[in-house]
Amino acid sequence: MGLLPMGADILPPSDDRVFKLILTSPEAKTGLMNLISSIISRTVVDVALLPNELAPGDTEEKAERFDVNCKIDDGSQVNLEMQASHMVEDLDGQYRNLKGKSIYYLTDLHSSQPAKGLRRYDRLSRSYQITFCSYTVFSDMPDYVNSFSLRHDTTGELLSDAINLAFVELSKLDEVVKKPISDMSDLDKWSVFFQYAPDLEHREIVNRIIESEEVLQVAGNLLMSISQNERERAIFRSRRKFQTDLQSDLATAEDNGERKGRMNRSIEIARNLLKTDLSLEQISAVTGLTYEEVEKLRPKS
C-alpha cells in the first residue's frame, strides 16, 4: 500500500532530484494530475511530460534541471520545481534571487511556445510556474501557498491569467500536519508527504496520509524504491556533499573577506594615527594591529 516502514531511512522527497523521480515515473501520472489540480484549482484530466533543457554543451548529470515540465489537457504548460536548498541571497530577507529565478522560468516557459502559424497572442496557452520551497520565503504571509498573477497595482483587477506563479512553502506546515486526515486537502497531504516522509517522528501521520489516497500510495511505493536504490542513495550523498562543501567554501570566503576588510580598515586608521603624536604602542592598542605591523606602516624618513 506504499506505507513507509517505521524505522526505515527514507530519502527526502523534498530533495529536488527525488521529487522529480517520483513525479516523472510512468506510474505517477495520475498523482501528477492530482497534485497539479490541487494547486491550480481545476480538475486536470490528462498530462504529458515535456523534456527539460540541459545547459548548452554540457550533458553531465550535474547540469540537469531538476524540475517537472509538463502540459495538461487544456494545453496549459506547467513547470513544477522543488527548491531544496537555500539560494544565495542578500541579507534583507526579501529572497529576490529565488523570486527572480521563478519569474525567469515562468516567462521563459510562456515565450517558448511555438510561434509558427500563431496570429493572436490571446490564444497562447496559459503557463504555470509552481515552486515548492523547503524554507520560508514570505514570512509576513501565514498561508503556506501564495500565488501571483498580473493584476492592477491599486484595484487588483485581473489584467491576464496567461501566466501564474505559485510558491508552496513546506516550512509552514506545523499546523497543517496537526489536522485530522479527513480535513486535509489534497495539497495538504502532498505537502506533508514531501516535507515529513523521512522524519521518523512523523512517520505514523505520513503513513495515514498515504493510506488515505491511492495516488499517494503510488508515491510511497516509488519513494521506497528510490530510497532502496544504492545508486540513487550514492547520488544523493554526492549531491549533498557538493552542496555542503559549496556552502562551506562560500562561508569561508565571506569570513576571509570580512577579515581582509577589517585589516584594511585597521591599516588605514593606523596610517592616519601615525600622523599624530600617539605612540606605536597606543596605535597598536587602538587598531588591533601588532606593534611590528604598525611599525612597518611608519613612513620612512
Side-chain angles (χ1 to χ4, degrees):
M1 292 180 62
L3 301 184
L4 309 178
M6 293 305 292
D9 181 16
I10 305 296
L11 292 181
S14 60
D15 173 80
D16 45 0
R17 178 181 171 87
V18 178
F19 174 81
K20 180 175 181 177
L21 288 173
I22 291 172
L23 293 181
T24 58
S25 170
E27 307 99 283
K29 180 176 179 178
T30 303
L32 180 57
M33 290 190 292
N34 176 263
L35 177 59
I36 295 172
S37 298
S38 72
I39 298 171
I40 69 172
S41 301
R42 181 183 77 75
T43 301
V44 175
V45 297
D46 194 20
V47 64
L49 292 170
L50 300 175
N52 286 358
E53 293 183 7
L54 298 180
D58 188 354
T59 56
E60 295 295 323
E61 187 172 50
K62 62 181 172 56
E64 186 176 359
R65 269 177 51 176
F66 294 113
D67 49 3
V68 180
N69 188 10
C70 54
K71 183 174 286 190
I72 57 178
D73 50 272
D74 68 349
S76 296
Q77 303 179 113
V78 182
N79 190 68
L80 300 99
E81 180 195 19
M82 177 65 75
Q83 185 64 44
S85 56
H86 281 68
M87 295 187 69
V88 178
E89 301 277 1
D90 293 331
L91 300 178
D92 57 7
Q94 295 300 308
Y95 296 98
R96 294 186 184 90
N97 207 16
L98 173 62
K99 295 171 186 175
K101 174 187 175 183
S102 298
I103 294 168
Y104 180 83
Y105 277 11
L106 174 59
T107 53
D108 181 56
L109 181 68
H110 194 62
S111 63
S112 69
Q113 297 181 55
K116 187 176 180 180
L118 180 68
R119 296 189 178 185
R120 294 181 53 162
Y121 287 109
D122 62 343
R123 292 181 181 171
L124 285 168
S125 298
R126 289 191 185 95
S127 299
Y128 296 87
Q129 170 64 35
I130 301 168
T131 302
F132 288 83
C133 192
S134 63
Y135 55 93
T136 299
V137 178
F138 304 98
S139 57
D140 57 337
M141 300 181 185
D143 293 337
Y144 76 94
V145 183
N146 291 287
S147 57
F148 304 85
S149 57
L150 295 172
R151 292 184 178 273
H152 191 282
D153 287 346
T154 304
T155 67
E157 180 181 354
L158 181 67
L159 172 67
S160 173
D161 62 354
I163 58 174
N164 303 265
L165 189 64
F167 291 88
V168 182
E169 297 168 278
L170 301 179
S171 55
K172 292 181 176 179
L173 298 176
D174 290 350
E175 295 304 315
V176 174
V177 76
K178 298 175 184 177
K179 288 183 181 180
I181 304 295
S182 58
D183 290 346
M184 288 186 181
S185 67
D186 288 341
L187 184 55
D188 288 345
K189 293 177 181 180
W190 276 106
S191 298
V192 170
F193 173 77
F194 289 141
Q195 178 72 351
Y196 293 111
D199 186 351
L200 295 179
E201 291 184 9
H202 290 89
R203 185 64 51 83
E204 183 178 350
I205 184 67
V206 169
N207 276 337
R208 286 168 54 205
I209 288 172
I210 289 173
E211 206 169 18
S212 71
E213 299 287 346
E214 185 176 349
V215 291
L216 283 166
Q217 293 172 25
V218 173
N221 280 327
L222 289 168
L223 179 58
M224 276 302 302
S225 177
I226 295 166
S227 297
Q228 292 171 345
N229 185 303
E230 286 304 318
R231 178 175 181 273
E232 288 302 331
R233 296 190 70 84
I235 290 173
F236 175 77
R237 289 193 298 270
S238 177
R239 293 181 64 240
R240 184 171 58 182
K241 181 179 182 300
F242 172 80
Q243 291 167 353
T244 303
D245 288 351
L246 179 60
Q247 290 169 356
S248 175
D249 289 344
L250 287 172
T252 301
E254 289 175 1
D255 290 345
N256 288 338
E258 289 176 2
R259 280 195 290 270
K260 185 176 181 181
R262 287 195 297 270
M263 175 64 77
N264 289 338
R265 287 192 295 273
S266 296
I267 289 172
E268 184 180 354
I269 293 170
R271 281 179 173 150
N272 289 330
L273 293 177
L274 283 168
K275 300 174 185 177
T276 69
D277 294 332
L278 292 178
S279 68
L280 297 185
E281 291 85 354
Q282 289 172 317
I283 296 174
S284 174
V286 169
T287 61
L289 299 175
T290 65
Y291 180 94
E292 291 76 14
E293 288 171 334
V294 175
E295 189 174 34
K296 288 180 182 178
L297 294 173
R298 187 165 55 182
K300 297 180 180 178
S301 54

